[in-house]
Amino acid sequence: MANFFKRRMSWVNTRMGFFLLTIGLFWVKTYIAYQTEFTLGAKGSVQQFLLLINPLPAALLVFGIALYFRGRLAYWLMMIINVLESTWIFANVLYYREFSDFLSFGIMKGSSDVGNNLGKSLAQITHVYDFFVYVDIIVLIILLVTHVIRIDARPFKRRYALSITVLSFGLMFAEFGMANADRSGLLTRTFDNNYIVKYLGLNEYAAFNAYQTQKESATRASANASDMKSVLKYLKQNRVSPNVSYYGKEKGKNVFVIHLESFQQFLIDYKVNGKEVTPNLNKFYHNQNTLSFDNFYNQVAQGKTSDAEMMLENSLFGLPQGSAMTTYGTQNTFQAAPAILSQQAGYTTAAFHGDVPSFWNRDNTYKSWGYQYFFSSSYYTEKSGYSVGYGLKDKIFFKQSAKYIEQLPQPFYAKLITLTNHYPYELDKKNTDFPATKTGDKTVDPYVQTAHYLDQAFGEFMTYLKKAGLYKNSMIVAYGDHYGISNNHRPAIAQLLGKSKVTNFDLAQFQKVPFMIHAAGLKGGINHTYGGEIDVLPTLLDLLGVKNTDTIQFGQDLLAKNRNQTVAFRNGNFISPTYAKIGGTVYDTRTGKALSLTTAQKKTVDKMQNHVTTELSLSDRVIYGDLLRFYTPKNFTKVDKSSFTYKYKLAMEKLAEAEKKEKTSALVKNKGKETTYKTDAPELK
């Protein structure tokens, strides 16, 4: 029997046999990963077939490299290639599990910003079975070392190796032909990485992403002033008139932008065991002087928080891969909210963030945007227990920020970035006084606890603003930057929403985040217009009465009566009051039902898709080509980054001089007396 088995298995003792065994095992594990770890949405026989075969062409190409070498070296090269390829799968499994997307060179380039915090997050989402991708390698190495599989030292004919290389390219072209027939313009019109992996594979996605990254670098070098013509033409055609009932109503007021980390719309008025998760934000949301938008969507991609900031302060979309702040924040020219308000309305501008200034390249990007002050980790007192996850706990952050806020000459524009409600939603027991949900998903269930903590911190800050005399003369903006619970947690999401299961349309609706604008005397209420983060800047500028008709902004005032309500998502999907296009399916937004489009409906949807594709493409062109260096609006001066310093001593001296000169700060108005900030943070007792 043993001899029979040896004869049957003798083929693996040849170099070609071992090569085919290695390829086969790699093919199987890649396909298993496709089916179990990624949500690629393969529909129909063509897509299922392409998903099945797409690991093979690239595997033949890269593993085939080893066949050009002799003896033992060929075998160990196959193992090294297998380790590298398997690690690529492993890394994408972990990244996709949290972010519903694939790794890009832009993200990997910016990963140093995340540092140890990213490692901590990865430790939370790594499962033992993820290491399955390395099992075949371990088995093959053991079989080689124990001589169960013998190394074939005979020369391998080069023409056979070359034939495999040619075959791999032939299969790639055939695969691409089938993919492009099923999805026209696959590599030219899509913004969704899932499509690339579904049709072509992980390796091909990596190659395409590398090409895109190189192309982006070349775009800036070749860009010129004439490239702005199409951008200006598009914006002129799509610019809307402000709502006269709101234009300039908040002129001259301070602006607080409170960045609610990972905070989703469903949390508003949500209860667990009969208790409100966010009682303070609920009260703020429903206040008669708060404009609240209940169809407001996050539009971020891989840059997550940095994408939200890019849209919020520039009305430019984040990039399809990586983070625009990380890659382009230092070198590019911008026309951002801080510079506009400083130059055209005399605002003092400041950002507050309880972590290192290099995170998302903020220390450089904020200078490019015109922030005069950036209060980051070096400005805050750090003691044991003060931080969790990505920086200072929110209650401590708000309290320590207060002393700097009181020194800012008024009017000021101040952005405060909260951090505690960030994945992995960790909070010590002494700060946890709210029940977790019971979905059984360990990632999801603590989410309401950190959201409740954020809500408490928000409530304390509102109380402080009232005591400091800043509440009535300020416009307070609160918004959620992106989802807290990714679409990969479908069963848990269904439980949270009280449904048996969720559709892709439900998941698109789950991308809503709150957007609220509060000011004394502002005519508030719930506004049902459809919009997103790209629309924030023009909305705020119109409320403040700051002219923005010739700046480069892709959003539209959310209060304008004739605005376009088609909300573009970064992957090319969209949603509107009538239709939502999610992947290859169009839904009736009013009912959530998938549609079989009539000719008239298809014409309407195609027009909306063309608008979205054009908008995203032109915004990308502005960033990739740094086109704003060629265009300066009236009454605007390009930001001189060298005029700003965020070093503690120099910045505080500058602030003291400004405060003395202007004499408009809250501290001066309160005759030099600091306002007592009350917090129940146990770390400060």
Side-chain angles (χ1 to χ4, degrees):
M1 188 69 178
N3 289 332
F4 174 80
F5 179 76
K6 285 182 179 180
R7 286 196 301 271
R8 289 290 184 182
M9 294 300 293
S10 61
W11 61 275
V12 300
N13 290 318
T14 66
R15 194 178 310 179
M16 178 59 79
F18 185 79
F19 172 77
L20 293 175
L21 176 63
T22 303
I23 288 287
L25 292 173
F26 179 80
W27 185 0
V28 169
K29 73 181 179 186
T30 304
Y31 184 69
I32 291 173
Y34 283 170
Q35 294 287 13
T36 60
E37 300 298 334
F38 307 128
T39 308
L40 299 177
K43 298 178 181 179
S45 57
V46 172
Q47 292 184 18
Q48 289 290 354
F49 176 71
L50 288 171
L51 188 67
L52 172 65
I53 67 165
N54 81 36
L56 183 59
L60 287 172
L61 178 65
V62 294
F63 282 91
I65 294 171
L67 297 177
Y68 289 92
F69 295 85
R70 296 182 177 183
R72 292 177 179 272
L73 180 58
Y75 285 77
W76 293 115
L77 275 176
M78 284 187 225
M79 293 298 97
I80 292 170
I81 291 169
N82 204 343
V83 169
L84 295 174
E85 289 283 322
S86 300
T87 300
W88 177 236
I89 297 173
F90 180 81
N92 274 285
V93 164
L94 298 187
Y95 188 79
Y96 196 95
R97 184 170 294 151
E98 180 55 25
F99 299 111
S100 302
D101 204 350
F102 296 94
L103 279 167
S104 70
F105 287 98
I107 283 294
M108 289 185 283
K109 180 180 178 181
S111 64
S112 59
D113 293 339
V114 182
N116 294 330
N117 291 321
L118 177 60
K120 188 175 183 179
S121 295
L122 290 177
Q124 295 288 331
I125 61 175
T126 303
H127 302 154
V128 173
Y129 58 75
D130 295 331
F131 295 94
F132 167 80
V133 296
Y134 296 107
V135 169
D136 64 314
I137 302 171
I138 295 170
V139 170
L140 288 173
I141 290 175
I142 291 173
L143 292 175
L144 285 171
V145 170
T146 58
H147 303 295
V148 173
I149 293 178
R150 294 188 297 275
I151 291 176
D152 182 4
R154 292 174 298 173
F156 190 80
K157 293 182 179 180
R158 188 166 290 270
R159 67 172 180 270
Y160 292 161
L162 185 60
S163 297
I164 289 172
T165 301
V166 171
L167 174 63
S168 68
F169 279 111
L171 289 173
M172 282 183 189
F173 285 121
E175 178 189 22
F176 179 75
M178 290 182 65
N180 205 51
D182 192 66
R183 169 75 177 181
S184 179
L186 176 63
L187 298 181
T188 57
R189 293 172 54 235
T190 184
F191 293 92
D192 190 349
N193 294 328
N194 281 286
Y195 281 91
I196 308 296
V197 175
K198 175 173 68 175
Y199 282 106
L200 302 180
L202 266 174
N203 278 317
E204 287 84 347
Y205 159 73
F208 180 65
N209 182 252
Y211 164 75
Q212 284 184 309
T213 302
Q214 186 279 329
K215 184 180 178 182
E216 290 162 11
S217 299
T219 299
R220 187 182 193 279
S222 62
N224 57 65
S226 64
D227 294 328
M228 277 297 297
K229 291 180 180 179
S230 56
V231 175
L232 292 169
K233 180 180 178 181
Y234 171 84
L235 293 179
K236 183 178 180 181
Q237 292 172 342
N238 289 274
R239 210 175 285 280
V240 295
S241 301
N243 188 328
V244 293
S245 299
Y246 287 99
Y247 186 81
K249 293 299 181 182
E250 306 309 318
K251 188 178 182 68
K253 285 190 175 181
N254 300 318
V255 180
F256 283 99
V257 175
I258 301 176
H259 178 112
L260 305 172
E261 174 63 45
S262 305
F263 195 96
Q264 293 179 243
Q265 175 71 16
F266 87 90
L267 289 169
I268 298 295
D269 296 330
Y270 193 78
K271 294 181 179 180
V272 177
N273 298 344
K275 297 180 180 179
E276 290 180 296
V277 178
T278 58
N280 293 300
L281 282 162
N282 294 346
K283 184 178 179 181
F284 187 82
Y285 183 85
H286 293 293
N287 188 284
Q288 64 178 355
N289 298 128
T290 301
L291 271 168
S292 299
F293 296 83
D294 62 354
N295 287 310
F296 185 86
Y297 294 82
N298 92 73
Q299 298 169 284
V300 306
Q302 291 182 335
K304 297 299 183 291
T305 295
S306 67
D307 285 353
E309 289 191 67
M310 178 63 70
M311 287 183 282
L312 183 87
E313 307 214 68
N314 295 272
S315 200
L316 295 172
F317 287 96
L319 300 177
Q321 293 90 28
S323 162
M325 282 176 60
T326 298
T327 309
Y328 297 96
T330 304
Q331 65 182 15
N332 274 26
T333 300
F334 294 95
Q335 297 165 11
I340 293 171
L341 290 174
S342 174
Q343 293 183 26
Q344 298 189 28
Y347 274 71
T348 304
T349 59
F352 299 78
H353 175 58
D355 198 5
V356 293
S358 60
F359 201 98
W360 289 126
N361 193 35
R362 286 189 176 100
D363 50 347
N364 293 307
T365 302
Y366 283 176
K367 291 176 182 177
S368 299
W369 290 358
Y371 269 115
Q372 296 162 337
Y373 304 98
F374 177 28
F375 301 96
S376 58
S377 55
S378 62
Y379 289 80
Y380 295 89
T381 300
E382 177 63 80
K383 292 183 180 179
S384 177
Y386 277 22
S387 293
V388 63
Y390 284 74
L392 277 181
K393 294 174 182 174
D394 294 339
K395 291 182 181 180
I396 298 171
F397 166 67
F398 277 128
K399 177 177 170 57
Q400 292 196 34
S401 296
K403 64 181 179 181
Y404 301 119
I405 291 170
E406 290 188 17
Q407 297 178 63
L408 295 176
Q410 302 185 67
F412 57 72
Y413 173 85
K415 178 173 68 175
L416 295 100
I417 303 172
T418 64
L419 290 169
T420 308
N421 193 46
H422 193 294
Y423 178 83
Y425 314 121
E426 292 180 329
L427 202 57
D428 45 278
K429 289 184 178 180
K430 60 185 177 183
N431 277 294
T432 307
D433 62 353
F434 196 82
T437 53
K438 297 180 180 179
T439 68
D441 189 317
K442 293 181 180 179
T443 297
V444 173
D445 287 338
Y447 177 60
V448 293
Q449 295 178 313
T450 52
H452 183 70
Y453 176 88
L454 167 57
D455 178 77
Q456 291 176 320
F458 178 85
E460 291 176 351
F461 187 61
M462 291 302 105
T463 300
Y464 158 75
L465 292 181
K466 292 172 183 176
K467 288 178 64 178
L470 291 169
Y471 191 80
K472 288 186 177 181
N473 66 333
S474 297
M475 183 168 73
I476 303 167
V477 180
Y479 85 108
D481 61 341
H482 56 75
Y483 64 79
I485 302 170
S486 76
N487 289 347
N488 290 318
H489 301 278
R490 284 176 179 246
I493 292 171
Q495 291 186 56
L496 292 175
L497 299 180
K499 298 187 175 189
S500 58
K501 64 178 181 179
V502 289
T503 65
N504 287 337
F505 178 79
D506 294 326
L507 294 176
Q509 293 291 71
F510 201 59
Q511 297 305 309
K512 288 182 182 180
V513 292
F515 179 59
M516 302 167 270
I517 306 171
H518 174 90
L522 183 65
K523 183 182 178 181
I526 308 299
N527 189 302
H528 305 302
T529 190
Y530 278 66
E533 290 157 334
I534 198 72
D535 302 310
V536 172
L537 180 58
T539 305
L540 299 186
L541 291 179
D542 280 349
L543 279 167
L544 294 170
V546 177
K547 185 180 178 183
N548 62 328
T549 54
D550 54 354
T551 48
I552 303 302
Q553 297 172 13
F554 284 88
Q556 295 181 339
D557 184 347
L558 289 165
L559 299 169
K561 294 181 179 180
N562 59 335
R563 63 185 306 274
N564 187 327
Q565 295 190 62
T566 304
V567 184
F569 296 123
R570 184 60 264 193
N571 61 7
N573 292 336
F574 62 82
I575 194 164
S576 76
T578 51
Y579 300 110
K581 186 169 184 289
I582 313 299
T585 305
V586 177
Y587 298 86
D588 184 325
T589 305
R590 292 157 294 194
T591 64
K593 302 287 186 181
L595 297 173
S596 295
L597 298 178
T598 64
T599 301
Q601 288 174 326
K602 187 177 186 304
K603 186 176 180 180
T604 300
V605 170
D606 286 347
K607 183 178 180 181
M608 297 168 80
Q609 182 68 76
N610 183 62
H611 168 80
V612 167
T613 303
T614 301
E615 186 174 54
L616 292 170
S617 297
L618 289 175
S619 177
D620 289 348
R621 193 180 301 177
V622 169
I623 294 177
Y624 290 146
D626 189 16
L627 298 187
L628 297 187
R629 60 186 156 140
F630 303 120
Y631 174 78
T632 304
K634 295 178 182 178
N635 302 316
F636 185 84
T637 304
K638 290 182 181 179
V639 173
D640 178 10
K641 295 185 281 287
S642 65
S643 64
F644 303 120
T645 179
Y646 299 146
K647 293 182 179 179
Y648 178 82
K649 185 177 179 180
L650 294 174
M652 292 308 295
E653 288 175 355
K654 180 181 176 182
L655 181 58
E657 290 175 8
E659 184 185 17
K660 184 178 179 181
K661 179 181 178 182
E662 300 294 335
K663 298 181 180 179
T664 58
S665 69
L667 191 62
V668 170
K669 289 184 177 295
N670 291 330
K671 299 179 180 179
K673 184 179 179 181
E674 291 187 4
T675 301
T676 302
Y677 192 108
K678 289 189 177 181
T679 175
D680 65 1
E683 299 86 356
L684 300 176
K685 294 180 180 179

mmCIF file of all heavy atoms in Angstrom, residues 195-225:
data_model
loop_
_atom_site.group_PDB
_atom_site.id
_atom_site.type_symbol
_atom_site.label_atom_id
_atom_site.label_comp_id
_atom_site.label_asym_id
_atom_site.label_seq_id
_atom_site.Cartn_x
_atom_site.Cartn_y
_atom_site.Cartn_z
ATOM 1 N N TYR A 195 -14.636 45.757 -6.901
ATOM 2 C CA TYR A 195 -14.814 45.331 -8.286
ATOM 3 C C TYR A 195 -13.510 44.784 -8.857
ATOM 4 O O TYR A 195 -13.498 43.767 -9.563
ATOM 5 C CB TYR A 195 -15.298 46.501 -9.147
ATOM 6 C CG TYR A 195 -16.766 46.792 -9.014
ATOM 7 C CD1 TYR A 195 -17.227 47.703 -8.074
ATOM 8 C CD2 TYR A 195 -17.691 46.156 -9.831
ATOM 9 C CE1 TYR A 195 -18.580 47.972 -7.951
ATOM 10 C CE2 TYR A 195 -19.049 46.416 -9.721
ATOM 11 C CZ TYR A 195 -19.486 47.333 -8.770
ATOM 12 O OH TYR A 195 -20.823 47.584 -8.645
ATOM 13 N N ILE A 196 -12.412 45.464 -8.572
ATOM 14 C CA ILE A 196 -11.111 45.034 -9.109
ATOM 15 C C ILE A 196 -10.764 43.645 -8.583
ATOM 16 O O ILE A 196 -10.344 42.762 -9.345
ATOM 17 C CB ILE A 196 -9.995 46.026 -8.725
ATOM 18 C CG1 ILE A 196 -10.382 47.459 -9.110
ATOM 19 C CG2 ILE A 196 -8.678 45.627 -9.365
ATOM 20 C CD1 ILE A 196 -10.553 47.681 -10.576
ATOM 21 N N VAL A 197 -10.938 43.436 -7.280
ATOM 22 C CA VAL A 197 -10.601 42.140 -6.684
ATOM 23 C C VAL A 197 -11.565 41.067 -7.166
ATOM 24 O O VAL A 197 -11.153 39.938 -7.475
ATOM 25 C CB VAL A 197 -10.613 42.243 -5.147
ATOM 26 C CG1 VAL A 197 -10.377 40.871 -4.512
ATOM 27 C CG2 VAL A 197 -9.551 43.227 -4.673
ATOM 28 N N LYS A 198 -12.840 41.397 -7.250
ATOM 29 C CA LYS A 198 -13.844 40.408 -7.676
ATOM 30 C C LYS A 198 -13.577 39.909 -9.090
ATOM 31 O O LYS A 198 -13.655 38.705 -9.367
ATOM 32 C CB LYS A 198 -15.238 41.035 -7.595
ATOM 33 C CG LYS A 198 -16.348 40.137 -8.139
ATOM 34 C CD LYS A 198 -17.721 40.731 -7.878
ATOM 35 C CE LYS A 198 -17.955 41.997 -8.673
ATOM 36 N NZ LYS A 198 -19.341 42.507 -8.499
ATOM 37 N N TYR A 199 -13.247 40.815 -9.978
ATOM 38 C CA TYR A 199 -13.065 40.452 -11.378
ATOM 39 C C TYR A 199 -11.650 39.971 -11.695
ATOM 40 O O TYR A 199 -11.464 39.066 -12.506
ATOM 41 C CB TYR A 199 -13.399 41.637 -12.282
ATOM 42 C CG TYR A 199 -14.872 41.870 -12.488
ATOM 43 C CD1 TYR A 199 -15.519 42.931 -11.877
ATOM 44 C CD2 TYR A 199 -15.617 41.034 -13.311
ATOM 45 C CE1 TYR A 199 -16.882 43.159 -12.078
ATOM 46 C CE2 TYR A 199 -16.974 41.250 -13.524
ATOM 47 C CZ TYR A 199 -17.603 42.313 -12.900
ATOM 48 O OH TYR A 199 -18.944 42.527 -13.107
ATOM 49 N N LEU A 200 -10.641 40.596 -11.089
ATOM 50 C CA LEU A 200 -9.262 40.337 -11.505
ATOM 51 C C LEU A 200 -8.401 39.663 -10.445
ATOM 52 O O LEU A 200 -7.487 38.916 -10.785
ATOM 53 C CB LEU A 200 -8.593 41.652 -11.939
ATOM 54 C CG LEU A 200 -9.285 42.408 -13.071
ATOM 55 C CD1 LEU A 200 -8.509 43.682 -13.397
ATOM 56 C CD2 LEU A 200 -9.415 41.532 -14.314
ATOM 57 N N GLY A 201 -8.624 39.960 -9.158
ATOM 58 C CA GLY A 201 -7.854 39.315 -8.117
ATOM 59 C C GLY A 201 -7.046 40.275 -7.267
ATOM 60 O O GLY A 201 -6.830 41.438 -7.626
ATOM 61 N N LEU A 202 -6.573 39.787 -6.132
ATOM 62 C CA LEU A 202 -5.813 40.616 -5.184
ATOM 63 C C LEU A 202 -4.490 41.091 -5.761
ATOM 64 O O LEU A 202 -4.074 42.229 -5.530
ATOM 65 C CB LEU A 202 -5.558 39.824 -3.902
ATOM 66 C CG LEU A 202 -6.549 40.008 -2.757
ATOM 67 C CD1 LEU A 202 -6.220 39.047 -1.624
ATOM 68 C CD2 LEU A 202 -6.544 41.448 -2.245
ATOM 69 N N ASN A 203 -3.792 40.220 -6.491
ATOM 70 C CA ASN A 203 -2.508 40.625 -7.060
ATOM 71 C C ASN A 203 -2.676 41.681 -8.138
ATOM 72 O O ASN A 203 -1.923 42.653 -8.214
ATOM 73 C CB ASN A 203 -1.778 39.409 -7.643
ATOM 74 C CG ASN A 203 -1.045 38.628 -6.579
ATOM 75 O OD1 ASN A 203 -0.403 39.211 -5.717
ATOM 76 N ND2 ASN A 203 -1.152 37.311 -6.626
ATOM 77 N N GLU A 204 -3.687 41.482 -8.973
ATOM 78 C CA GLU A 204 -3.943 42.453 -10.031
ATOM 79 C C GLU A 204 -4.378 43.792 -9.429
ATOM 80 O O GLU A 204 -4.026 44.856 -9.954
ATOM 81 C CB GLU A 204 -5.010 41.924 -10.988
ATOM 82 C CG GLU A 204 -4.524 40.814 -11.903
ATOM 83 C CD GLU A 204 -4.576 39.431 -11.259
ATOM 84 O OE1 GLU A 204 -4.760 39.343 -10.013
ATOM 85 O OE2 GLU A 204 -4.427 38.444 -11.983
ATOM 86 N N TYR A 205 -5.151 43.721 -8.345
ATOM 87 C CA TYR A 205 -5.524 44.953 -7.645
ATOM 88 C C TYR A 205 -4.271 45.689 -7.164
ATOM 89 O O TYR A 205 -4.155 46.916 -7.308
ATOM 90 C CB TYR A 205 -6.441 44.655 -6.459
ATOM 91 C CG TYR A 205 -6.456 45.760 -5.433
ATOM 92 C CD1 TYR A 205 -7.102 46.966 -5.697
ATOM 93 C CD2 TYR A 205 -5.784 45.625 -4.214
ATOM 94 C CE1 TYR A 205 -7.091 48.004 -4.774
ATOM 95 C CE2 TYR A 205 -5.766 46.642 -3.293
ATOM 96 C CZ TYR A 205 -6.427 47.833 -3.574
ATOM 97 O OH TYR A 205 -6.395 48.866 -2.671
ATOM 98 N N ALA A 206 -3.317 44.955 -6.588
ATOM 99 C CA ALA A 206 -2.081 45.574 -6.098
ATOM 100 C C ALA A 206 -1.313 46.226 -7.236
ATOM 101 O O ALA A 206 -0.801 47.347 -7.102
ATOM 102 C CB ALA A 206 -1.208 44.531 -5.395
ATOM 103 N N ALA A 207 -1.246 45.532 -8.385
ATOM 104 C CA ALA A 207 -0.532 46.088 -9.539
ATOM 105 C C ALA A 207 -1.239 47.341 -10.054
ATOM 106 O O ALA A 207 -0.593 48.352 -10.368
ATOM 107 C CB ALA A 207 -0.439 45.041 -10.647
ATOM 108 N N PHE A 208 -2.577 47.298 -10.117
ATOM 109 C CA PHE A 208 -3.336 48.448 -10.592
ATOM 110 C C PHE A 208 -3.195 49.618 -9.630
ATOM 111 O O PHE A 208 -3.054 50.771 -10.051
ATOM 112 C CB PHE A 208 -4.810 48.063 -10.748
ATOM 113 C CG PHE A 208 -5.685 49.190 -11.239
ATOM 114 C CD1 PHE A 208 -5.504 49.720 -12.509
ATOM 115 C CD2 PHE A 208 -6.677 49.720 -10.430
ATOM 116 C CE1 PHE A 208 -6.303 50.754 -12.972
ATOM 117 C CE2 PHE A 208 -7.476 50.760 -10.876
ATOM 118 C CZ PHE A 208 -7.291 51.282 -12.151
ATOM 119 N N ASN A 209 -3.200 49.322 -8.337
ATOM 120 C CA ASN A 209 -3.042 50.377 -7.344
ATOM 121 C C ASN A 209 -1.657 51.016 -7.424
ATOM 122 O O ASN A 209 -1.515 52.234 -7.280
ATOM 123 C CB ASN A 209 -3.290 49.815 -5.936
ATOM 124 C CG ASN A 209 -3.195 50.862 -4.850
ATOM 125 O OD1 ASN A 209 -2.237 50.871 -4.085
ATOM 126 N ND2 ASN A 209 -4.173 51.750 -4.789
ATOM 127 N N ALA A 210 -0.635 50.180 -7.671
ATOM 128 C CA ALA A 210 0.722 50.713 -7.835
ATOM 129 C C ALA A 210 0.784 51.625 -9.058
ATOM 130 O O ALA A 210 1.407 52.698 -9.026
ATOM 131 C CB ALA A 210 1.721 49.568 -7.974
ATOM 132 N N TYR A 211 0.130 51.197 -10.130
ATOM 133 C CA TYR A 211 0.077 52.019 -11.350
ATOM 134 C C TYR A 211 -0.629 53.347 -11.071
ATOM 135 O O TYR A 211 -0.162 54.416 -11.492
ATOM 136 C CB TYR A 211 -0.645 51.258 -12.452
ATOM 137 C CG TYR A 211 -1.093 52.131 -13.610
ATOM 138 C CD1 TYR A 211 -0.174 52.600 -14.548
ATOM 139 C CD2 TYR A 211 -2.437 52.490 -13.750
ATOM 140 C CE1 TYR A 211 -0.586 53.411 -15.603
ATOM 141 C CE2 TYR A 211 -2.851 53.297 -14.802
ATOM 142 C CZ TYR A 211 -1.924 53.760 -15.719
ATOM 143 O OH TYR A 211 -2.327 54.563 -16.751
ATOM 144 N N GLN A 212 -1.763 53.286 -10.366
ATOM 145 C CA GLN A 212 -2.496 54.501 -10.026
ATOM 146 C C GLN A 212 -1.643 55.445 -9.195
ATOM 147 O O GLN A 212 -1.637 56.659 -9.414
ATOM 148 C CB GLN A 212 -3.775 54.157 -9.263
ATOM 149 C CG GLN A 212 -4.891 53.604 -10.125
ATOM 150 C CD GLN A 212 -6.140 53.374 -9.308
ATOM 151 O OE1 GLN A 212 -6.102 52.741 -8.248
ATOM 152 N NE2 GLN A 212 -7.261 53.893 -9.775
ATOM 153 N N THR A 213 -0.920 54.882 -8.227
ATOM 154 C CA THR A 213 -0.083 55.696 -7.353
ATOM 155 C C THR A 213 1.002 56.411 -8.153
ATOM 156 O O THR A 213 1.269 57.601 -7.951
ATOM 157 C CB THR A 213 0.562 54.812 -6.263
ATOM 158 O OG1 THR A 213 -0.476 54.156 -5.521
ATOM 159 C CG2 THR A 213 1.401 55.655 -5.317
ATOM 160 N N GLN A 214 1.625 55.666 -9.077
ATOM 161 C CA GLN A 214 2.659 56.281 -9.917
ATOM 162 C C GLN A 214 2.053 57.333 -10.833
ATOM 163 O O GLN A 214 2.621 58.409 -11.045
ATOM 164 C CB GLN A 214 3.346 55.184 -10.744
ATOM 165 C CG GLN A 214 4.551 55.656 -11.555
ATOM 166 C CD GLN A 214 4.176 56.320 -12.874
ATOM 167 O OE1 GLN A 214 3.161 55.972 -13.475
ATOM 168 N NE2 GLN A 214 4.992 57.290 -13.302
ATOM 169 N N LYS A 215 0.870 57.037 -11.355
ATOM 170 C CA LYS A 215 0.191 57.962 -12.263
ATOM 171 C C LYS A 215 -0.170 59.253 -11.533
ATOM 172 O O LYS A 215 -0.059 60.358 -12.090
ATOM 173 C CB LYS A 215 -1.069 57.305 -12.822
ATOM 174 C CG LYS A 215 -1.805 58.153 -13.847
ATOM 175 C CD LYS A 215 -3.042 57.421 -14.362
ATOM 176 C CE LYS A 215 -3.805 58.296 -15.342
ATOM 177 N NZ LYS A 215 -5.046 57.605 -15.819
ATOM 178 N N GLU A 216 -0.594 59.113 -10.280
ATOM 179 C CA GLU A 216 -0.949 60.292 -9.489
ATOM 180 C C GLU A 216 0.257 61.207 -9.301
ATOM 181 O O GLU A 216 0.139 62.436 -9.375
ATOM 182 C CB GLU A 216 -1.501 59.851 -8.124
ATOM 183 C CG GLU A 216 -2.871 59.189 -8.215
ATOM 184 C CD GLU A 216 -3.210 58.388 -6.983
ATOM 185 O OE1 GLU A 216 -2.463 58.516 -5.980
ATOM 186 O OE2 GLU A 216 -4.198 57.631 -6.999
ATOM 187 N N SER A 217 1.412 60.609 -9.067
ATOM 188 C CA SER A 217 2.625 61.410 -8.897
ATOM 189 C C SER A 217 2.979 62.142 -10.185
ATOM 190 O O SER A 217 3.403 63.303 -10.159
ATOM 191 C CB SER A 217 3.793 60.505 -8.479
ATOM 192 O OG SER A 217 3.521 59.873 -7.250
ATOM 193 N N ALA A 218 2.778 61.443 -11.320
ATOM 194 C CA ALA A 218 3.097 62.059 -12.609
ATOM 195 C C ALA A 218 2.101 63.152 -12.976
ATOM 196 O O ALA A 218 2.440 64.109 -13.683
ATOM 197 C CB ALA A 218 3.114 60.993 -13.689
ATOM 198 N N THR A 219 0.867 63.027 -12.485
ATOM 199 C CA THR A 219 -0.176 63.993 -12.817
ATOM 200 C C THR A 219 0.189 65.389 -12.354
ATOM 201 O O THR A 219 0.000 66.375 -13.076
ATOM 202 C CB THR A 219 -1.521 63.571 -12.191
ATOM 203 O OG1 THR A 219 -1.906 62.303 -12.720
ATOM 204 C CG2 THR A 219 -2.608 64.588 -12.480
ATOM 205 N N ARG A 220 0.724 65.488 -11.144
ATOM 206 C CA ARG A 220 1.087 66.807 -10.622
ATOM 207 C C ARG A 220 2.181 67.440 -11.463
ATOM 208 O O ARG A 220 2.156 68.640 -11.754
ATOM 209 C CB ARG A 220 1.543 66.710 -9.164
ATOM 210 C CG ARG A 220 1.765 68.079 -8.521
ATOM 211 C CD ARG A 220 2.269 67.966 -7.096
ATOM 212 N NE ARG A 220 2.186 69.247 -6.415
ATOM 213 C CZ ARG A 220 3.072 70.237 -6.523
ATOM 214 N NH1 ARG A 220 4.135 70.071 -7.317
ATOM 215 N NH2 ARG A 220 2.917 71.359 -5.876
ATOM 216 N N ALA A 221 3.135 66.617 -11.869
ATOM 217 C CA ALA A 221 4.261 67.141 -12.643
ATOM 218 C C ALA A 221 3.818 67.666 -14.005
ATOM 219 O O ALA A 221 4.396 68.627 -14.527
ATOM 220 C CB ALA A 221 5.317 66.054 -12.813
ATOM 221 N N SER A 222 2.783 67.055 -14.577
ATOM 222 C CA SER A 222 2.355 67.450 -15.920
ATOM 223 C C SER A 222 1.197 68.441 -15.922
ATOM 224 O O SER A 222 0.792 68.927 -16.978
ATOM 225 C CB SER A 222 1.950 66.204 -16.718
ATOM 226 O OG SER A 222 0.851 65.554 -16.108
ATOM 227 N N ALA A 223 0.624 68.736 -14.742
ATOM 228 C CA ALA A 223 -0.536 69.632 -14.676
ATOM 229 C C ALA A 223 -0.161 71.063 -15.040
ATOM 230 O O ALA A 223 0.963 71.500 -14.822
ATOM 231 C CB ALA A 223 -1.134 69.595 -13.274
ATOM 232 N N ASN A 224 -1.133 71.790 -15.597
ATOM 233 C CA ASN A 224 -0.924 73.208 -15.903
ATOM 234 C C ASN A 224 -2.228 73.968 -15.714
ATOM 235 O O ASN A 224 -3.280 73.382 -15.446
ATOM 236 C CB ASN A 224 -0.388 73.394 -17.324
ATOM 237 C CG ASN A 224 -1.296 72.779 -18.371
ATOM 238 O OD1 ASN A 224 -2.429 73.216 -18.544
ATOM 239 N ND2 ASN A 224 -0.796 71.756 -19.060
ATOM 240 N N ALA A 225 -2.178 75.262 -15.868
ATOM 241 C CA ALA A 225 -3.321 76.130 -15.568
ATOM 242 C C ALA A 225 -4.548 75.803 -16.407
ATOM 243 O O ALA A 225 -5.688 75.976 -15.953
ATOM 244 C CB ALA A 225 -2.923 77.590 -15.768
#
